[in-house]
Amino acid sequence: MSGEFRVRELVLGIQGLALLRNAVDGDDAFLRQRVEDIRRFASAEPGREPFPDGGAAVSELDAASGYAAWSAVYDSLPSSYIEVEEPVVSSILDDVAPGVALDAACGTGRQSRVLAGRGHRVIGVDQSPEMLAKARANTPEGDFRVGHLDRLPLDDDSVDLAVCSLAMTHLADLAPGAAELARVVRPGGRIVVTDLHPFVIALQGQCLFVHGADELAFVRNHVHLPGRYLEAFGRAGLRVRACHEPLFNGRLAPGGYEEFIADAARAAWDGLPIVIVWDLEVPTPKESRT
């Protein structure tokens, strides 16, 4: 699947969302500015003032190809999603004693480093050899394996903790991934799953990255409302301890089109959850009978 990075349409969408969310009780001057901007941008020619450069081709890649291309720059890109996710995950991990920990869909090993630093013996699994090469370099003491989230190369009941960060949303069906995490974690063990919040995916679409000299690409994120997660976790026999939904922190992607319309972009996302974090537990046989 291919398309085009349409700057005018994206700018108009953000302006419209900011206007929609503030239409009832927003500041009059702010609302007038949004309407003025929408008129000005709608009448302008794409690729010309007042727009920043745009118009690059956009391709959808599968997870293996996408993360192979993304791996070279992944760790260097600032991310508001990661910034709001990490403190929540850290607070959950404070309650987990060191043991054998799985970093599922580990990517470059961001969570692997954290887990190793907390005294866990880390196993990282990812389908991208390019991402795994980065993870091995970042956490040499880890055991990193090629594998898929819905077919983990681990034995049943073989880890005490599993962390899966910003990856399950790539699955069209959450159930196989949830079942695999439940399978490999011992009874009484913990699972932490984080994802882009479905609100963000539904409103913003896909996360783009540079692919090649003059092209953008994305790996599809599917919209899974909280009820879908609850259904998948329930079918896997998991207990939900807590669900956290950290909010947008005001950071816009440096150099992105939203910086061009920063007031509207911050108003569009203000107060919305941008990440969802699930704190889960595998019940013991005794707990499962109660």
Side-chain angles (χ1 to χ4, degrees):
M1 176 181 176
S2 61
E4 184 180 352
F5 184 62
R6 299 179 177 90
V7 178
R8 181 176 68 172
E9 286 74 9
L10 290 166
V11 167
L12 286 170
I14 292 294
Q15 293 281 1
L17 180 57
L19 186 61
L20 176 65
R21 296 196 62 214
N22 291 274
V24 173
D25 57 357
D27 175 78
D28 286 344
F30 175 86
L31 297 176
R32 284 196 299 272
Q33 186 63 55
R34 302 287 69 76
V35 173
E36 180 182 329
D37 284 349
I38 289 170
R39 287 173 175 155
R40 180 163 58 100
F41 296 154
S43 62
E45 288 293 326
R48 303 182 62 171
E49 293 293 337
F51 296 105
D53 291 338
V58 178
S59 298
E60 179 177 354
L61 303 178
D62 61 34
S65 300
Y67 279 98
W70 210 349
S71 64
V73 297
Y74 190 86
D75 286 336
S76 66
L77 300 175
S79 170
S80 58
Y81 305 113
I82 291 175
E83 286 179 0
V84 302
E85 177 231 47
E86 286 186 337
V88 178
V89 174
S90 180
S91 69
I92 295 172
L93 295 180
D94 285 342
D95 191 38
V96 181
V100 181
L102 166 66
D103 186 2
C106 65
T108 61
R110 175 172 63 94
Q111 298 292 9
S112 296
R113 292 195 302 273
V114 171
L115 294 167
R118 288 175 171 269
H120 295 277
R121 182 164 68 84
V122 177
I123 302 171
V125 174
D126 199 278
Q127 65 176 300
S128 167
E130 293 82 1
M131 284 287 195
L132 286 173
K134 299 280 187 180
R136 291 188 183 99
N138 290 329
T139 310
E141 66 272 33
D143 172 8
F144 293 98
R145 309 173 184 179
V146 176
H148 292 261
L149 184 54
D150 55 0
R151 300 187 302 279
L152 293 169
L154 283 85
D155 294 333
D156 294 357
D157 304 338
S158 56
V159 302
D160 303 292
L161 165 69
V163 177
C164 181
S165 293
L166 307 179
M168 286 191 70
T169 188
H170 292 317
L171 300 177
D173 181 1
L174 294 170
E180 277 293 273
L181 293 173
R183 178 183 67 81
V184 303
V185 176
R186 298 183 182 110
R190 298 281 287 278
I191 298 172
V192 181
V193 172
T194 81
D195 261 330
L196 300 184
H197 200 283
F199 285 4
V200 169
I201 301 172
L203 289 171
Q204 189 181 48
Q206 305 302 319
C207 297
L208 302 178
F209 58 91
V210 176
H211 177 53
D214 56 357
E215 187 174 339
L216 299 172
F218 66 91
V219 178
R220 181 164 298 278
N221 291 305
H222 298 274
V223 177
H224 298 300
L225 297 178
R228 292 286 182 88
Y229 286 93
L230 290 172
E231 180 183 4
F233 297 149
R235 288 173 59 184
L238 298 172
R239 176 183 295 120
V240 177
R241 294 169 55 96
C243 175
H244 306 271
E245 298 172 283
L247 305 180
F248 172 63
N249 64 356
R251 176 190 281 276
L252 303 176
Y257 73 91
E258 286 188 329
E259 280 199 333
F260 174 63
I261 50 167
D263 289 347
R266 290 193 173 96
W269 302 119
D270 181 54
L272 291 183
I274 62 172
V275 171
I276 192 164
V277 181
W278 296 94
D279 180 2
L280 308 162
E281 187 173 35
V282 180
T284 64
K286 180 179 179 180
E287 290 170 329
S288 298
R289 292 193 296 268
T290 60

